[in-house]
Amino acid sequence: MKKSDNLMSGAQIFFECLKREKVEHIFGYPGGAVLKLYEHLYDVDFLEHVLVRHEQGAVHAAEGYAKASGKVGVVLVTSGPGATNTVTGIADAYMDSVPIVVFTGQVPSHLIGNDAFQEADIVGITRPITKHNFLVRDVKDLALTIRKAFYIASTGRPGPVLVDLPKNVIASKCEFIYPEDVELRGYKPNYKGHINQIKKVAEVIASAKRPLLYVGGGVIMSGGSRELAILARENKLPVAMTLQGLGAFPGTDDLSLGMLGMHGTYWANRAVDNCDVLVSLGARFDDRVTGNVETFARNAFKIHVDIDPTCIDKNVVVDLPVVGDVKHIIAEIASEMPNQPDTTEWLAQINEWREECPLVYEDNDGRLRTEFVIEKLFEKTKGEAVIVTDVGQHQMWTAQHYKYNHPRSNLTSGGLGTMGFSVPASIGASFAVKDRPIISISGDGGFQMNIQELITAAANKVPVKFIIINNSFLGMVRQWQELFHAEKFSFTDLSSSNPDFVKVGEAFGIPSYSTDNPKEVDSILEKAFSINDRPVLLEFKVVKADMVFPMVPSGGSISDMMVKRLNPRRMT
Amino acid sequence: MRRTISVLVENRFGAFDRIATMFSGKGFNIRSISIGETEIADISRMTIVTEGDDQIIDQVVKQLNRLIDTIKVVDLADTYHVERELALISIGLHKGSMEQIKNICDIFRGNIVDITNKSMMIEVTGPPDKIDAAVNVLAPFGIKEMARSGIVALKRGEQLKIQKKENFTT
C-alpha cells in the first residue's frame, strides 16, 4: 500500500477518534467553521447527533448525559458565537466536575488573530473554566489531542476539556496513527490513598461517639455508592449528603439524614454541629454547606477524602486528609475498621431532632404547594426516576422531599447555579437512560432560559416529563428579598409577564397540562406517566410567597438556622 | 510572607497564560515572575515570587500542580537555594555625579553598560535585596528608567540536614 493511501482528512480522523473513544451521542449545532465535520457526519453511522437549538443547550445536554451515564458527554459547535455560547455550560461543568469534551470550530490558522468572521479566542476565554483546553495547530496532532482530551476529562477529578479546531486543520490530510496510550508528564492523578492515613481514619471512626459521614458528588462520580452503603450500614454511621451527593446513599434508609447545608434538614445540620468526627467523602466544603467556616462542625475531628489535593484545606482546615479515589478509599476504610463504633445513642439523638423539626408545609388550605407535588412525584416513581432540577426554590424543595434510591438519579446545577440547566440536561440524560423515567423540574424563571430546547425534545421524541413549578416569581430571589432586602421585590414578580406555558408546550407539539389544584395532581401525573413515546409538559401553579426552610443564612452558623413550624412549639 | 516558587512547565503555547490566569482567578499575588529555557528543550522554568500565609502558599502550590502543563512545583522556602535578579538602571548625569555613580556601581559590583553625556546605564546582578540596596543608593542621583528581570532561583546542590520538609509533588 502506498503511503498516500493511508492519508485521512482531519474530519475523518476526528470521527475515527470518536469511534475509538466509544462515543455514541454528540450534541451539536453546525456552522461555517465545522462544515467539513458535518459533511462527514452525514455518513457516520456509529453515533447519533442530537441537534440542539442553542449551543448552551448542547453543553447542558452533554452534562446531563455524562452525569446520568458516567460517560464523557460530547459537544460539537462552530466558531465565534457558537463557541462563546458554550461558555456558561462549560463553567457549569467545571464547577460540578462533569466530564465533557467540547469541540469548537475555529477560523483557519492563518486568520487567527485577524478578527476574522466568526472568530473568538475561545481557548483564551475558557482557560479558567476548563480542566484543560487545546488549540490544534496541525492535523498531525489531532488524534493525540482528542485522545488526551477524553483522558483528561474522564480521569482524576473529572471536568470539561475544550478542543479548538481551525477549519484548515480539519480539511488537511495526514496519516492516521491512533495513540493507544496517553502519557502526560504534568498530569498523574493519584487514585491510591495512603494506607497509613486510611488506617488512621478507620481508627478515628471506630472510636467516635458521634460520627457523621458528609457525602458529596465525588462518591457518585467514583462509583462508590455500594462501598458507602457497606461502610455506613456495617458501622451504623449516619449519612448527610450535599446537593450533588444526593443519591449516593438511598434517601429512604434510616441512616440517611438527607441534605445538609443552607437548606439542609434540621437534623442533618444539628448532626453536623454536634458530631465529634466528621468524615467528608468526595465533597469540597462548599460555602453553601459550611456557612460560617469558623463554626462549621466546630467540635469535630475532621477527615477529608478527595481525589483533588486542592480541595484539601481550601475552605476548611482538616485534621486528617486522604487524597485518592473515594470509592477505593471507602472500601479500604470499611475493611480496616478495628471495631464498630457504638452509635446507638447518637442515632437516637438524631431521631429526636428529626421529630423536633420535620420538613413541614401547609396542606389544609386547598392551595397547591411545591412540596406536595414533589411528594406525589416520589410516590409515583418510588424514588426510581432520574430527576433533573434547575436552580432555585424548586431545586431545594426537590432535594428535601425526593428520596433518591440510586446514584446518578439527581442531576442538577450545584456549583455554578445555572438557571436553564434542567430542560437541556434532561434531554441529554434521556439519551443515556432508557429504563427509568426522566423528569425535568424547573421554576417558571429558569424554564424560560433554555425554552428553545423543547423542540429538541419534541423532534427527538424523548420521553422527558417537563415539570414547571410556577409561582410567578423568581422565587429564591424573592425569598432573599423578603428576608434580607427590606421586602423590595425588585424585578422578581413575573405574574403579569409569564407566557401561557400550556400554549407554549402545545406550540412545540408537546402535550401540556396545567393545574393549581392539589386534588388534580395525581390525575395529571397519571396522564403524564401514560405518555412514554414523547415529551410531556406539566405546569403546577403553586402559591407565590412560600419560602424554603430550614435556612441557614449565607455565611451563618447552625445556631442562625431558620425553621418552619406549623405548631407553635418553640425551638429550645 | 514572601515566597519563591519554582515551576517546571511545558514549553507550550498558552502555558504561561494558564498560570497567570490561575493566579488572578484565585486572587493570589504575583510580586515577580520570570520565565526562560531550561536544560531540556521543551521545558521552561518559571520562578514566581508570591506572598501569603502557609495556607495560601499551600493552595498556590496545589493549584499550580493541578494545571496539566505544570510538570514540577517546588516551594523554595523549604530549601537551600540561590536567588538572583538583574536590574538595568538608567541614571541622569549632573556635574560631578559620574564619578560618584561609578563608585557606587563598583561597590555593588555592577557594570556600566551604556553612557552618554546625559545619562549612564548600570547593570547590577544579585539577590533581590542587593538590587533594592543599589536602587536606594542610586535614587538620589535621579533614576530615569529601570528594568528588573524578576527573580530566578535554583535549589543548591547540597541540602543540609536542618532543612524543613520539601514541598515537592508532581
Side-chain angles (χ1 to χ4, degrees):
Chain A
M1 198 160 58
K2 280 187 305 192
K3 203 181 171 208
S4 59
D5 293 345
N6 259 338
L7 293 187
M8 281 167 69
S9 73
Q12 286 172 303
I13 290 171
F14 176 83
F15 286 108
E16 197 53 43
C17 287
L18 293 197
K19 193 175 186 174
R20 303 205 186 198
E21 295 293 342
K22 300 186 174 60
V23 175
E24 289 168 8
H25 295 91
I26 52 178
F27 302 90
Y29 202 96
V34 287
L35 276 171
K36 193 79 185 164
L37 289 172
Y38 273 85
E39 179 190 323
H40 279 267
L41 178 58
Y42 198 77
D43 298 317
V44 164
D45 55 4
F46 67 88
L47 61 74
E48 185 179 354
H49 174 274
V50 180
L51 177 68
V52 294
R53 290 301 189 276
H54 187 288
E55 289 87 350
Q56 187 191 348
V59 185
H60 291 322
E63 283 187 273
Y65 182 86
K67 283 186 174 193
S69 66
K71 295 197 289 189
V72 176
V74 182
V75 174
L76 174 60
V77 297
T78 191
S79 65
T84 54
N85 276 345
T86 64
V87 167
T88 302
I90 293 172
D92 190 89
Y94 188 61
M95 289 287 267
D96 286 344
S97 310
V98 187
I100 57 169
V101 175
V102 177
F103 294 100
T104 50
Q106 183 54 278
V107 300
S109 307
H110 69 277
L111 288 180
I112 290 179
N114 287 14
D115 297 338
F117 177 64
Q118 294 198 325
E119 179 186 356
D121 174 16
I122 196 63
V123 171
I125 291 168
T126 58
R127 219 164 254 149
I129 52 167
T130 49
K131 186 170 172 187
H132 198 62
N133 61 17
F134 298 94
L135 170 65
V136 184
R137 313 188 116 195
D138 189 324
V139 68
K140 291 194 197 80
D141 301 330
L142 181 59
L144 181 59
T145 305
I146 294 175
R147 188 91 175 82
K148 282 180 183 171
F150 278 85
Y151 175 68
I152 292 169
S154 59
T155 52
R157 179 177 178 181
V161 177
L162 182 137
V163 183
D164 205 18
L165 303 167
K167 198 169 179 177
N168 57 316
V169 170
I170 295 307
S172 45
K173 293 185 169 185
C174 78
E175 195 182 350
F176 176 58
I177 301 164
Y178 185 72
E180 293 297 336
D181 296 312
V182 197
E183 171 70 22
L184 286 157
R185 55 187 168 184
Y187 177 67
K188 304 226 177 339
N190 175 29
Y191 290 98
K192 214 170 150 40
H194 199 290
I195 188 65
N196 289 344
Q197 298 282 92
I198 292 168
K199 281 183 179 157
K200 268 187 226 161
V201 172
E203 282 162 24
V204 172
I205 298 175
S207 60
K209 296 231 165 10
R210 301 182 306 279
L212 178 67
L213 303 183
Y214 150 38
V215 168
V219 172
I220 295 172
M221 269 174 240
S222 70
S225 295
R226 243 172 57 97
E227 288 74 8
L228 172 66
I230 292 169
L231 175 70
R233 284 171 181 157
E234 276 183 357
N235 299 286
K236 298 272 176 290
L237 305 172
V239 181
M241 287 166 274
T242 68
L243 178 62
Q244 295 294 354
L246 290 171
F249 187 72
T252 44
D253 195 294
D254 288 343
L255 289 167
S256 166
L257 310 189
M259 186 169 72
L260 78 166
M262 182 177 275
H263 291 295
T265 60
Y266 175 78
W267 51 96
N269 283 336
R270 289 299 298 268
V272 172
D273 205 30
N274 287 279
C275 65
D276 65 350
V277 172
L278 182 79
V279 189
S280 168
L281 302 168
R284 60 186 175 89
F285 292 84
D286 175 70
D287 58 89
R288 284 296 188 265
V289 162
T290 62
N292 182 352
V293 291
E294 303 297 325
T295 57
F296 178 73
R298 55 191 135 184
N299 301 318
F301 182 91
K302 298 182 189 72
I303 296 166
H304 192 178
V305 181
D306 204 287
I307 193 150
D308 181 358
T310 66
C311 281
I312 310 281
D313 291 349
K314 183 174 67 182
N315 300 331
V316 172
V317 178
V318 296
D319 301 292
L320 181 52
V322 190
V323 173
D325 179 60
V326 177
K327 172 185 167 143
H328 290 108
I329 293 171
I330 294 174
E332 282 177 305
I333 295 171
S335 68
E336 293 291 339
M337 289 292 291
N339 58 278
Q340 295 171 357
D342 180 7
T343 58
T344 323
E345 249 176 70
W346 174 231
L347 293 175
Q349 168 69 69
I350 291 171
N351 279 335
E352 269 176 43
W353 287 325
R354 227 187 260 266
E355 281 161 30
E356 185 186 335
C357 216
L359 292 169
V360 287
Y361 60 93
E362 324 235 352
D363 56 358
N364 52 8
D365 60 359
R367 297 162 74 203
L368 186 57
R369 285 188 167 72
T370 312
E371 298 96 314
F372 179 77
V373 175
I374 305 300
E375 283 185 0
K376 285 290 172 192
L377 203 57
F378 175 71
E379 280 172 27
K380 183 86 197 151
T381 58
K382 300 181 177 63
E384 294 289 317
V386 175
I387 308 276
V388 190
T389 52
D390 213 68
V391 173
Q393 287 186 316
H394 73 277
Q395 180 190 31
M396 293 298 115
W397 276 316
T398 307
Q400 291 176 343
H401 291 270
Y402 196 89
K403 296 183 174 62
Y404 298 90
N405 283 344
H406 306 288
R408 301 197 178 282
S409 305
N410 152 49
L411 319 184
T412 194
S413 169
L416 195 66
T418 311
M419 285 171 69
F421 172 86
S422 174
V423 170
S426 62
I427 296 169
S430 72
F431 285 93
V433 178
K434 302 288 184 192
D435 55 345
R436 291 155 62 201
I438 314 271
I439 296 162
S440 156
I441 308 177
S442 306
D444 47 310
F447 187 75
Q448 293 178 66
M449 280 205 182
N450 272 314
I451 200 165
Q452 77 285 347
E453 299 307 333
L454 285 181
I455 199 65
T456 308
N460 289 284
K461 295 192 164 40
V462 297
V464 175
K465 302 184 194 330
F466 293 106
I467 291 179
I468 307 168
I469 301 292
N470 182 0
N471 66 351
S472 302
F473 261 100
L474 302 178
M476 188 57 94
V477 184
R478 190 205 164 282
Q479 175 164 347
W480 283 55
Q481 287 172 333
E482 179 169 343
L483 293 173
F484 313 117
H485 294 276
E487 301 191 18
K488 306 272 185 213
F489 299 120
S490 187
F491 298 96
T492 46
D493 186 351
L494 306 180
S495 48
S496 60
S497 58
N498 263 337
D500 180 330
F501 288 109
V502 170
K503 279 189 184 157
V504 166
E506 284 167 353
F508 285 99
I510 296 174
S512 305
Y513 309 96
S514 176
T515 186
D516 60 358
N517 183 352
K519 293 199 176 76
E520 285 177 14
V521 172
D522 274 326
S523 62
I524 210 173
L525 285 177
E526 193 61 44
K527 258 187 234 169
F529 279 84
S530 67
I531 300 173
N532 289 310
D533 56 349
R534 59 200 160 126
V536 49
L537 186 151
L538 309 177
E539 180 196 25
F540 294 103
K541 291 181 179 165
V542 298
V543 297
K544 285 182 183 174
D546 262 9
M547 292 199 273
V548 184
F549 291 110
M551 179 176 191
V552 181
S554 185
S557 303
I558 301 302
S559 54
D560 304 321
M561 180 162 47
M562 296 181 265
V563 294
K564 178 149 69 182
R565 286 158 191 276
L566 295 180
N567 304 322
R569 275 189 297 168
R570 288 266 160 261
M571 187 173 160
T572 43
Chain B
M1 194 178 115
R2 175 184 165 281
R3 294 281 267 269
T4 308
I5 296 170
S6 181
V7 189
L8 290 178
V9 298
E10 298 282 355
N11 183 2
R12 211 157 39 198
F13 174 81
F16 175 82
D17 187 40
R18 239 176 260 286
I19 288 172
T21 302
M22 187 280 285
F23 268 82
S24 64
K26 300 279 174 195
F28 301 140
N29 284 321
I30 299 181
R31 281 178 72 169
S32 91
I33 192 163
S34 72
I35 183 159
E37 290 174 6
T38 64
E39 70 286 2
I40 304 162
D42 56 355
I43 294 181
S44 306
R45 183 184 297 275
M46 283 174 91
T47 310
I48 303 167
V49 180
T50 181
E51 50 196 359
D53 58 25
D54 284 349
Q55 198 189 344
I56 289 173
I57 299 301
D58 180 54
Q59 268 297 311
V60 169
V61 170
K62 285 176 182 170
Q63 294 286 354
L64 282 167
N65 267 311
R66 190 189 195 206
L67 298 170
I68 311 278
D69 281 341
T70 57
I71 299 160
K72 186 168 158 184
V73 182
V74 182
D75 178 359
L76 290 172
D78 297 340
T79 69
Y80 285 92
H81 64 280
V82 179
E83 288 187 3
R84 287 292 178 271
E85 190 176 9
L86 181 144
L88 294 174
I89 306 165
S90 176
I91 305 145
L93 291 179
H94 307 286
K95 202 169 176 223
S97 69
M98 192 204 286
E99 197 59 28
Q100 289 176 324
I101 294 170
K102 196 172 165 301
N103 281 341
I104 293 168
C105 179
D106 287 342
I107 292 166
F108 284 99
R109 293 184 204 172
N111 296 314
I112 296 162
V113 291
D114 182 52
I115 187 156
T116 69
N117 287 333
K118 288 179 182 161
S119 71
M120 65 197 289
M121 194 197 299
I122 294 173
E123 170 202 317
V124 192
T125 313
D129 52 353
K130 175 182 157 188
I131 310 284
D132 291 343
V135 170
N136 281 340
V137 178
L138 289 168
F141 293 93
I143 295 176
K144 293 175 73 177
E145 275 189 307
M146 177 168 74
R148 290 176 74 153
S149 64
I151 291 164
V152 292
L154 269 187
K155 214 163 68 165
R156 288 187 185 274
E158 197 167 343
Q159 296 288 312
L160 298 178
K161 282 272 161 55
I162 53 166
Q163 76 178 63
K164 287 185 274 172
K165 61 137 183 145
E166 190 184 354
N167 235 336
F168 176 94
T169 32
T170 50

